[in-house]
């Protein structure tokens, strides 16, 4: 019988930025007791996942081993870390541990999905720990762009692992705890086997800037503005929302929070005592009663989300408020790659209204929540682990981060989703490859990314759709002519006749000539009708549509 | 009878970057003789135009006045300026004027579409002019990121208009003519009524850099590389391709050009005498025979296009060549907003292969082809027009550029697509609003963007599709049960039964209870069946699909 081992297995987040899900296990091979760190979502896009609501890691591997799972630990309340907890709770059914602010938001999600709120348990900051099977897990405060982020200290019989969570090195994060080098040095003192570390900003060469550096610039900008001021940022960046609100207050403006996520976050921060002294806010209705130069809106939708407050304000009226010539709109945010078009659409709509836009091309009004390259080096040095395992990054980030670790004289390894590492030796060793993937929340149903559902949607979007209906009588002879219904296809093609008529004519010609053998064979008939429909469409409109053939038999 | 006037009417390109099409007219209102400057394309995306091949300006207004159109003038050979010429030639049927390199490429397009190549007429550079009705048009060389770009000098009875075309101020563009301030001063000497001017880089505050500045950095990078070197850039940037090839040559590497567009551009440049002394190239087959450290590939696909050489090399083998650990891949290009995801996908695939990627985050290996803000100011001053009309930009660019003109003491106006200006006075005056839009080339058919075709495709992609088939007998009674075919929908929903079964059951229940009046009324029956299908789907899977109802009657 083999001896115990310590394993690490990313199911999501190692190979993309989003849908984080990291498994740790300790025990005899195949019998390890397991914990899961984070269970987040990624967001769909029209190119790859049209119609999908949310994406998360395929946790089949974990579900099949649910009896070995002790608990879920959530490092912080960003959607890519906590967003799937409630959606997957039914399948895992273990306690969820988090700090107060994160737990507050996680409970709201559990309630929405009809799960018991008390499955989410609040943990105090280190040195408090939670025992989960062979693991002892502590939440060490670490600065990030949301309150109460934690790096996890995971003690195992094989030694200590530090899971950084998302972090930056910020000595003055405005809200929440500063990065505390002495605390981390203390954690590291007894020796750390592995540092599993955020890789997001490994390509950013300069040291990261503090959240607190933005205050003066934002205050100046808002102070000089003439009309209404609107600022958008990530709702979860409570510190930024506070900085913005205070800038408004200093400029003699009344502050309005717009967007459900914005109000929810501030509410959670106040409820959990994370946020004190937030400026008084007024309602949109009250804002309509005061001069626009005395109003500041802080709104959701920094990524151009079509239904968020910013997009609605850019299009027209929102909750009785409307932007006008001379107003100022500030993006206190970074556009995440892939969202550029949506953000630019808003900027142009604002431009049409005569609103001046300050966007993210300057670095004056936004700082990142992630550690830049020199900050990563600093954490490596501070924790001084035997090995560095980059996580929270696309392949390019993980690879660069592993190189950085190696350059610092530490073992670094690129472990992508599904790659199980044995952390027991001096360097990480691949123990297994596990099948992983993506689960789509699609309406109210969870489907696999490779189930073919989304593939068919993409095909209909690219090619259009034809329904061909044929009725056959008791003798398997065509009863009347076939007919077609088109969706997403041009009405006429090269022959200038209606495409539907040309299709029906060609299909009818075929049916009239078809032999008994074909007419009696559903599969054969369907295949031929599809082939002809596609071929006719190709010659008429230069494209082969998706075809649904419906054959009805009277017998 | 009213007197003559000079009009300007953008049909495309003023409100977006792409699909340029600018009309000028001179004559009595409603009887102006017209010319068109540029007729380009924009590129579709999955969000707004799935399945579409190309987008260009809706030229209905111009088609209806084709008898008044004298000619088309093409400033340069970028797709957003020349791409729709051949697709629209049939509707316009007037001569197309361009300089030799542009004409060479335009003729290839005409040939592909089966139009006479001699409709494209080559014009020499200024001081040669073409007389087209009341207009005299000259092509003044101006530097840009493609050979033989021209600004147009358009002389009219109402004075001189300068249409900048796309341009930058480059004293040493490597290939083609340098920006010549003396020539432009000469053009301006007799007075310019209006400068219609490129706005692309109005937000770039620093003076633009010369194409020639890249040579040393690229040469150094390629010189230090160990494995195979691959560089991608816009195929039309002949100067850049030359710089890259020369860097390869200097490093003792044999150069391979990969991708049809790349070879076509170099061919056109050589044929028209624009490009001399291009390093000798070898074929991909020859490249396989020499050590990889002696090979340099210059490839298409800098925007991550899935079928281009770069994407194919990132995925696997392409024309017998395959990348490996230690190779270098250089993006000598900028990622156009909206293409980030596609480019990042390639970078990650290359990372998986162990290829080192140098991307556009540094400005060392790419310069823009458009005039930055200080360069725009310089052209304003040099031409010293009565008015500046910003073009080639989204609304935000046009607005900023008009402000810049005003700040320089010149009249500036934001004229978006469809806004007809009368340029006769001291400041531009809106003369009319014309309906404009987008035409989609969809397979082999041209459709209107608002025809509903693409809207239906998007709906199918977002919602999935159900075909409901019902047969009614001679008495209008249901013959058998209704059935459903699903596409792009999950197989099971909340009731755990097959979605198709639940749908058919509910539809059958309805049919059995339906009154004669409903069963006899096709529209009513269809509406009810659609409603029930959507309602059942909503409760099963939380989504309302698109529904095609096919009712067949035996009578």
């Amino acid at each position: 019988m083999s001896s115990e081992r310590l394993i690490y297995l990313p199911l999501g987040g190692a190979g993309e930025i989003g849908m984080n899900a990291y498994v740790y296990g300790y025990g005899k091979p195949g019998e390890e007791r397991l914990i899961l760190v984070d269970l987040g979502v990624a967001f769909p896009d029209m190119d790859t996942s049209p119609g999908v609501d949310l994406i998360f890691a395929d946790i089949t591997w974990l579900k099949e081993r649910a009896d070995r799972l002790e608990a879920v630990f959530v490092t912080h309340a960003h959607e890519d870390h906590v967003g799937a907890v409630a959606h997957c709770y039914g399948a895992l059914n273990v306690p969820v541990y988090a700090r107060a602010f994160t737990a507050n938001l996680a409970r709201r999600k559990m309630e929405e999905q009809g799960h018991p709120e008390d499955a989410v348990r609040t943990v105090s900051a280190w040195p408090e720990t939670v025992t989960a099977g062979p693991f002892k897990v502590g939440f060490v405060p670490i600065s990030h762009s949301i309150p109460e982020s934690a790096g996890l200290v995971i003690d195992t019989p094989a030694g200590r692992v530090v899971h950084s969570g998302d972090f930056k090195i910020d000595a003055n994060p405005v809200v929440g705890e500063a990065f505390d080098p002495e605390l981390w040095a203390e954690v590291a003192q007894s020796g750390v086997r592995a540092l599993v570390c955020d890789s997001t900003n490994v390509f950013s060469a300069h040291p990261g800037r503090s959240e607190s550096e933005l205050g003066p610039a934002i205050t100046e900008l808002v102070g000089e503005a003439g009309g209404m001021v609107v600022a958008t940022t990530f709702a979860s960046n409570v510190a930024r929302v506070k900085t913005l609100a205070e800038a408004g207050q200093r400029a003699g403006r009344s502050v309005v929070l717009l967007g459900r996520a914005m109000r929810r976050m501030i509410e959670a921060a106040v409820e959990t005592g994370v946020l004190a002294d937030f400026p008084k806010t007024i309602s949109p209705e009250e804002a309509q009663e005061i001069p626009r130069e005395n109003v500041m809106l802080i709104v959701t939708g920094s990524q151009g989300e079509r239904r968020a407050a910013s997009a609605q304000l850019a299009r027209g009226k929102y909750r009785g408020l409307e932007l006008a010539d001379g107003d100022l709109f500030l993006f206190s945010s970074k556009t995440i790659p892939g969202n550029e078009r949506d953000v630019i659409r808003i900027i142009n709509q604002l431009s049409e209204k005569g609103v001046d836009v300050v966007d993210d091309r300057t670095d004056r009004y936004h700082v990142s929540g992630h550690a830049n390259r020199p900050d990563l080096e600093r954490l490596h040095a501070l924790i001084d682990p035997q090995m560095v395992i980059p996580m929270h990054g696309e392949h390019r980030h993980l690879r660069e981060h592993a190189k950085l670790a190696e350059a610092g004289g530490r073992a670094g390894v690129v472990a992508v989703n599904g790659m199980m590492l044995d952390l027991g030796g001096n360097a990480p060793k691949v123990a297994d490859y596990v099948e992983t993937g993506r689960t789509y929340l699609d309406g109210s149903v969870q489907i696999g990314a490779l189930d073919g559902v989304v593939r068919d949607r993409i095909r209909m979007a690219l090619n259009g759709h034809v329904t061909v209906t044929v009725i056959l009588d008791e003798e398997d002879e065509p009863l009347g002519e076939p007919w077609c219904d088109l969706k997403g296809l041009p009405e006429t093609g090269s022959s200038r006749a209606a495409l539907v008529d040309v299709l029906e004519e060609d299909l009818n010609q075929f049916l009239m000539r078809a032999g008994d053998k074909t007419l009696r064979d559903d599969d054969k008939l369907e295949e031929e009708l599809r082939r002809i429909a596609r071929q006719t469409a190709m010659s008429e409109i230069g494209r082969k549509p998706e075809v649904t053939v419906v054959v009805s038999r009277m017998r």
Side-chain angles (χ1 to χ4, degrees), chain A residues 39 72 74 82-97 102-121 264:
Chain A
L39 191 45
V72 178
V74 181
V82 74
V85 164
H87 294 294
C88 298
Y89 179 76
L92 300 178
N93 208 22
V94 294
V96 176
Y97 294 97
T102 311
N104 181 300
L105 288 159
R107 280 188 198 107
R108 293 169 194 239
K109 289 172 183 293
M110 292 289 274
E111 194 196 346
E112 281 174 2
Q113 299 300 316
H115 296 309
E117 289 177 50
D118 62 3
V120 179
R121 306 192 185 161
R264 175 189 268 222

Side-chain angles (χ1 to χ4, degrees), chain A residues 259 299-302 304-315 318 346:
Chain A
V299 308
T300 52
S302 67
E305 301 92 328
R306 279 170 206 236
R307 278 175 288 191
S310 65
Q312 300 212 43
L313 281 167
R315 283 198 296 266
Y318 179 66
I346 289 183

Side-chain angles (χ1 to χ4, degrees), chain A residues 18-262:
Chain A
M19 55 175 240
N20 294 280
Y22 307 93
V23 176
Y24 293 89
Y26 185 82
K28 296 204 169 77
E31 297 171 28
E32 297 91 350
R33 302 302 300 175
L34 308 169
I35 58 171
L36 176 64
V37 175
D38 292 337
L39 191 45
V41 296
F43 296 98
D45 60 62
M46 191 71 183
D47 285 279
T48 60
S49 42
V52 168
D53 294 284
L54 286 174
I55 303 171
F56 36 88
D58 178 355
I59 56 163
T60 304
W61 187 89
L62 208 55
K63 281 187 202 169
E64 290 168 352
R65 290 156 185 81
D67 59 318
R68 294 206 261 130
L69 183 66
E70 301 281 353
V72 178
F73 295 87
V74 181
T75 58
H76 64 288
H78 276 148
E79 289 297 323
D80 58 332
H81 294 260
V82 74
V85 164
H87 294 294
C88 298
Y89 179 76
L92 300 178
N93 208 22
V94 294
V96 176
Y97 294 97
R99 298 183 67 198
F101 175 77
T102 311
N104 181 300
L105 288 159
R107 280 188 198 107
R108 293 169 194 239
K109 289 172 183 293
M110 292 289 274
E111 194 196 346
E112 281 174 2
Q113 299 300 316
H115 296 309
E117 289 177 50
D118 62 3
V120 179
R121 306 192 185 161
T122 301
V123 186
S124 296
W126 179 263
E128 181 170 318
T129 58
V130 175
T131 300
F135 298 99
K136 253 175 53 181
V137 181
F139 289 75
V140 183
I142 199 161
S143 43
H144 184 41
S145 48
I146 191 169
E148 290 197 344
S149 272
L152 302 182
V153 173
I154 306 175
D155 281 325
T156 80
R160 176 167 283 186
V161 173
V162 172
H163 183 102
S164 76
D166 292 7
F167 80 102
K168 67 184 289 188
I169 294 187
D170 195 333
N172 184 4
V174 180
V175 166
E177 300 107 334
F179 183 87
D180 183 347
E182 280 155 36
L183 180 60
W184 283 105
E186 194 189 302
V187 162
Q189 206 166 23
S190 51
V192 172
R193 175 159 284 280
L195 169 64
V196 180
C197 190
D198 181 2
S199 309
T200 315
N201 280 3
V202 67
F203 288 108
S204 300
H206 54 87
R209 292 179 303 141
S210 167
E211 182 69 30
S212 59
E213 288 179 30
L214 300 177
I218 290 175
T219 302
E220 189 189 333
L221 182 74
V222 176
E224 288 171 357
M228 198 186 288
V229 174
V230 188
T232 184
T233 188
F234 305 97
S236 56
N237 194 333
V238 173
R240 187 71 50 80
V241 176
K242 189 181 184 208
T243 300
L244 291 166
E246 285 174 351
Q249 190 180 39
R250 260 180 228 135
R253 292 170 181 269
S254 299
V255 173
V256 186
L257 297 181
L258 284 181
R260 187 162 155 268
M262 191 65 76

